[in-house]
Coordinates of all heavy atoms in Angstrom, one line a residue:
A1 N 0.8 -1.2 0.0 CA 0.0 0.0 0.0 C 0.8 1.3 0.0 O 0.4 2.3 -0.4 CB -0.9 0.0 1.2
S2 N 2.1 1.2 0.5 CA 2.9 2.4 0.6 C 3.9 2.5 -0.6 O 4.8 3.3 -0.5 CB 3.7 2.3 1.9 OG 4.6 1.2 1.9
G3 N 3.7 1.7 -1.6 CA 4.7 1.8 -2.7 C 6.0 1.1 -2.4 O 7.1 1.5 -2.8
N4 N 5.9 0.1 -1.5 CA 7.1 -0.7 -1.0 C 8.1 0.2 -0.3 O 9.3 0.0 -0.6 CB 7.7 -1.5 -2.2 CG 8.6 -2.6 -1.8 OD1 8.4 -3.2 -0.7 ND2 9.6 -2.9 -2.6
K5 N 7.7 1.0 0.6 CA 8.6 1.9 1.3 C 8.2 2.0 2.8 O 7.0 2.3 3.1 CB 8.6 3.3 0.7 CG 9.2 3.3 -0.7 CD 9.3 4.8 -1.2 CE 9.8 4.8 -2.6 NZ 9.8 6.2 -3.2
F6 N 9.2 1.7 3.6 CA 9.0 1.9 5.1 C 10.2 2.8 5.5 O 11.3 2.4 5.4 CB 9.0 0.6 5.9 CG 8.8 0.8 7.3 CD1 7.7 1.2 7.9 CD2 9.9 0.5 8.2 CE1 7.5 1.4 9.3 CE2 9.8 0.7 9.6 CZ 8.6 1.1 10.1
W7 N 9.9 4.0 6.0 CA 10.9 5.0 6.3 C 11.5 4.9 7.7 O 10.7 4.8 8.7 CB 10.4 6.4 6.0 CG 10.0 6.6 4.6 CD1 8.7 6.4 4.1 CD2 10.8 6.9 3.5 NE1 8.7 6.6 2.7 CE2 10.0 7.0 2.4 CE3 12.2 7.3 3.4 CZ2 10.5 7.3 1.1 CZ3 12.7 7.6 2.2 CH2 11.9 7.7 1.1
V8 N 12.8 4.8 7.9 CA 13.5 4.8 9.2 C 14.6 5.9 9.2 O 15.1 6.2 8.1 CB 14.1 3.4 9.5 CG1 13.0 2.3 9.5 CG2 15.1 3.1 8.4
P9 N 15.0 6.4 10.3 CA 16.0 7.4 10.4 C 17.4 6.8 10.0 O 17.7 5.7 10.4 CB 16.0 7.9 11.8 CG 15.4 6.8 12.6 CD 14.4 6.2 11.7
K10 N 18.2 7.6 9.3 CA 19.5 7.1 8.8 C 20.5 7.4 9.9 O 20.6 8.5 10.4 CB 19.9 7.9 7.6 CG 21.2 7.4 7.0 CD 21.5 8.2 5.7 CE 22.8 7.8 5.1 NZ 23.1 8.5 3.8
N11 N 21.2 6.3 10.3 CA 22.3 6.4 11.3 C 21.9 7.0 12.6 O 22.6 7.6 13.3 CB 23.5 7.3 10.8 CG 24.1 6.8 9.5 OD1 24.1 5.6 9.3 ND2 24.5 7.7 8.6
K12 N 20.6 6.7 13.0 CA 20.1 7.1 14.3 C 19.3 5.9 14.9 O 18.7 5.1 14.2 CB 19.2 8.3 14.2 CG 20.0 9.6 13.9 CD 19.0 10.8 14.0 CE 19.8 12.1 13.8 NZ 18.9 13.3 13.9
P13 N 19.4 5.8 16.3 CA 18.6 4.7 16.9 C 17.1 4.9 16.7 O 16.6 6.1 16.7 CB 19.0 4.7 18.3 CG 19.5 6.1 18.6 CD 20.1 6.6 17.3
I14 N 16.3 3.8 16.6 CA 14.9 3.9 16.5 C 14.3 3.8 17.9 O 14.5 2.8 18.6 CB 14.3 2.8 15.6 CG1 14.9 3.0 14.2 CG2 12.8 2.9 15.6 CD1 14.5 1.9 13.2
R15 N 13.5 4.8 18.3 CA 12.9 4.9 19.7 C 11.4 4.7 19.5 O 10.8 4.8 18.4 CB 13.3 6.2 20.4 CG 14.8 6.5 20.4 CD 15.1 7.7 21.2 NE 16.5 8.1 21.1 CZ 17.4 7.5 21.9 NH1 17.0 6.6 22.8 NH2 18.7 7.8 21.9
P16 N 10.7 4.5 20.6 CA 9.2 4.3 20.6 C 8.5 5.5 20.0 O 7.5 5.3 19.3 CB 8.8 4.1 22.0 CG 10.0 3.5 22.7 CD 11.2 4.1 22.0
D17 N 9.1 6.7 20.1 CA 8.4 7.9 19.6 C 8.9 8.3 18.2 O 8.6 9.4 17.7 CB 8.5 9.1 20.6 CG 10.0 9.4 20.9 OD1 10.9 8.6 20.6 OD2 10.3 10.5 21.5
T18 N 9.9 7.5 17.6 CA 10.4 7.9 16.3 C 9.3 7.7 15.3 O 8.7 6.6 15.2 CB 11.6 7.0 16.0 OG1 12.6 7.1 17.0 CG2 12.2 7.4 14.6
P19 N 9.0 8.7 14.5 CA 7.9 8.6 13.5 C 8.2 7.8 12.3 O 8.0 8.3 11.1 CB 7.6 10.1 13.2 CG 8.9 10.7 13.3 CD 9.6 10.0 14.4
C20 N 8.6 6.5 12.4 CA 8.8 5.7 11.3 C 7.4 5.4 10.7 O 6.4 5.3 11.4 CB 9.4 4.4 11.7 SG 11.0 4.5 12.5
R21 N 7.3 5.2 9.4 CA 6.0 4.9 8.8 C 6.1 4.4 7.4 O 7.1 4.5 6.7 CB 5.2 6.2 8.8 CG 5.7 7.3 7.8 CD 4.9 8.6 8.0 NE 5.3 9.6 7.0 CZ 4.9 10.8 7.1 NH1 4.1 11.2 8.1 NH2 5.2 11.7 6.1
F22 N 5.0 3.7 7.0 CA 4.8 3.3 5.6 C 4.2 4.5 4.9 O 3.2 5.0 5.2 CB 3.9 2.1 5.5 CG 4.4 0.8 6.1 CD1 4.0 0.4 7.4 CD2 5.2 0.0 5.3 CE1 4.5 -0.8 7.9 CE2 5.7 -1.2 5.9 CZ 5.4 -1.6 7.1
S23 N 4.9 4.9 3.8 CA 4.3 5.9 3.0 C 5.2 6.1 1.7 O 6.4 5.7 1.7 CB 4.3 7.3 3.7 OG 5.6 7.7 4.0
P24 N 4.6 6.6 0.6 CA 5.4 6.8 -0.6 C 6.5 7.8 -0.4 O 7.5 7.7 -1.1 CB 4.4 7.2 -1.6 CG 3.1 6.7 -1.1 CD 3.2 6.8 0.4
E25 N 6.3 8.8 0.5 CA 7.2 9.9 0.7 C 7.8 9.8 2.1 O 7.1 9.3 3.0 CB 6.6 11.2 0.5 CG 6.0 11.4 -0.9 CD 7.1 11.3 -2.0 OE1 8.2 11.7 -1.7 OE2 6.8 10.9 -3.1
P26 N 9.0 10.3 2.3 CA 9.6 10.2 3.7 C 8.9 11.2 4.6 O 8.3 12.2 4.2 CB 11.0 10.7 3.5 CG 11.0 11.5 2.2 CD 9.9 10.9 1.4
P27 N 9.0 11.0 6.0 CA 8.4 11.9 6.9 C 9.2 13.3 6.8 O 10.3 13.3 6.2 CB 8.7 11.2 8.3 CG 8.9 9.8 8.0 CD 9.5 9.8 6.6
P28 N 8.6 14.3 7.4 CA 9.3 15.6 7.4 C 10.7 15.5 8.1 O 10.9 14.8 9.0 CB 8.4 16.5 8.2 CG 7.0 15.8 8.2 CD 7.3 14.4 8.1
A29 N 11.6 16.2 7.5 CA 13.0 16.2 8.0 C 13.2 17.2 9.2 O 13.7 18.2 9.1 CB 14.0 16.6 6.9
E30 N 12.6 16.7 10.3 CA 12.7 17.5 11.5 C 14.0 17.3 12.3 O 14.4 16.2 12.4 CB 11.5 17.2 12.4 CG 10.1 17.5 11.7 CD 9.0 17.0 12.6 OE1 9.3 16.5 13.7 OE2 7.8 17.3 12.2
G31 N 14.6 18.4 12.7 CA 15.8 18.3 13.5 C 17.0 17.7 12.7 O 17.9 17.1 13.3
G32 N 17.0 17.9 11.4 CA 18.0 17.4 10.6 C 18.0 15.9 10.3 O 19.1 15.4 9.9
T33 N 16.9 15.3 10.6 CA 16.8 13.8 10.5 C 16.8 13.4 9.0 O 16.0 14.0 8.2 CB 15.6 13.2 11.2 OG1 15.7 13.6 12.6 CG2 15.6 11.7 11.0
E34 N 17.7 12.5 8.6 CA 17.6 12.0 7.2 C 16.9 10.7 7.3 O 17.0 9.9 8.3 CB 19.0 11.8 6.7 CG 19.8 13.1 6.4 CD 21.1 12.8 5.7 OE1 21.1 12.2 4.6 OE2 22.1 13.2 6.3
W35 N 16.1 10.4 6.3 CA 15.3 9.1 6.2 C 15.8 8.2 5.1 O 16.2 8.7 4.0 CB 13.8 9.5 6.1 CG 13.3 10.3 7.2 CD1 13.3 11.7 7.3 CD2 12.7 9.8 8.4 NE1 12.7 12.0 8.5 CE2 12.4 10.9 9.2 CE3 12.5 8.5 8.9 CZ2 11.8 10.8 10.5 CZ3 11.9 8.4 10.1 CH2 11.6 9.5 10.9
V36 N 15.7 6.9 5.4 CA 16.0 5.9 4.3 C 14.9 4.9 4.3 O 14.3 4.6 5.3 CB 17.4 5.3 4.7 CG1 17.3 4.5 6.0 CG2 17.8 4.3 3.6
A37 N 14.6 4.5 3.1 CA 13.5 3.6 2.9 C 13.9 2.1 2.9 O 14.9 1.8 2.2 CB 12.7 3.9 1.6
L38 N 13.2 1.3 3.7 CA 13.4 -0.1 3.6 C 12.4 -0.7 2.6 O 11.2 -0.3 2.6 CB 13.2 -0.8 5.0 CG 14.1 -0.3 6.1 CD1 13.8 -1.1 7.4 CD2 15.5 -0.4 5.8
R39 N 12.8 -1.6 1.8 CA 12.0 -2.2 0.8 C 12.0 -3.8 0.9 O 13.0 -4.3 1.4 CB 12.4 -1.8 -0.6 CG 12.5 -0.3 -0.8 CD 13.2 0.0 -2.1 NE 13.4 1.5 -2.3 CZ 12.6 2.2 -3.0 NH1 11.5 1.7 -3.6 NH2 12.8 3.5 -3.1
T40 N 11.0 -4.4 0.5 CA 11.0 -5.8 0.4 C 11.6 -6.3 -0.9 O 11.5 -5.6 -1.9 CB 9.5 -6.4 0.5 OG1 8.7 -5.9 -0.6 CG2 8.9 -6.0 1.8
A41 N 12.2 -7.5 -0.9 CA 12.8 -8.0 -2.1 C 12.8 -9.5 -2.0 O 13.0 -10.1 -0.9 CB 14.2 -7.4 -2.3
A42 N 12.7 -10.2 -3.1 CA 12.9 -11.6 -3.2 C 14.3 -11.9 -3.7 O 14.8 -11.2 -4.6 CB 11.9 -12.3 -4.1
V43 N 15.0 -12.9 -3.1 CA 16.3 -13.2 -3.6 C 16.2 -14.2 -4.7 O 15.6 -15.2 -4.6 CB 17.2 -13.8 -2.4 CG1 18.5 -14.2 -3.0 CG2 17.3 -12.8 -1.3
E44 N 16.9 -13.8 -5.9 CA 16.8 -14.7 -7.1 C 18.1 -15.6 -7.1 O 19.2 -15.1 -6.9 CB 16.8 -13.8 -8.3 CG 16.7 -14.6 -9.6 CD 16.7 -13.6 -10.8 OE1 17.7 -12.9 -10.9 OE2 15.7 -13.6 -11.5
E45 N 17.8 -16.9 -7.2 CA 19.0 -17.8 -7.2 C 18.6 -18.9 -8.2 O 17.6 -19.5 -8.2 CB 19.1 -18.4 -5.8 CG 20.4 -19.2 -5.6 CD 20.3 -20.6 -6.0 OE1 19.2 -21.2 -5.9 OE2 21.3 -21.2 -6.3

């Protein structure tokens, strides 16, 4: 539903109040936070 993107902060610990989320676009860059998207993938062998 989110375009295969789950956003987490880059190089920062994830806390209970961290606004990670599924969405096509990253959360707002508050406090200089950079976001990186996790995606699902199947391994081809």
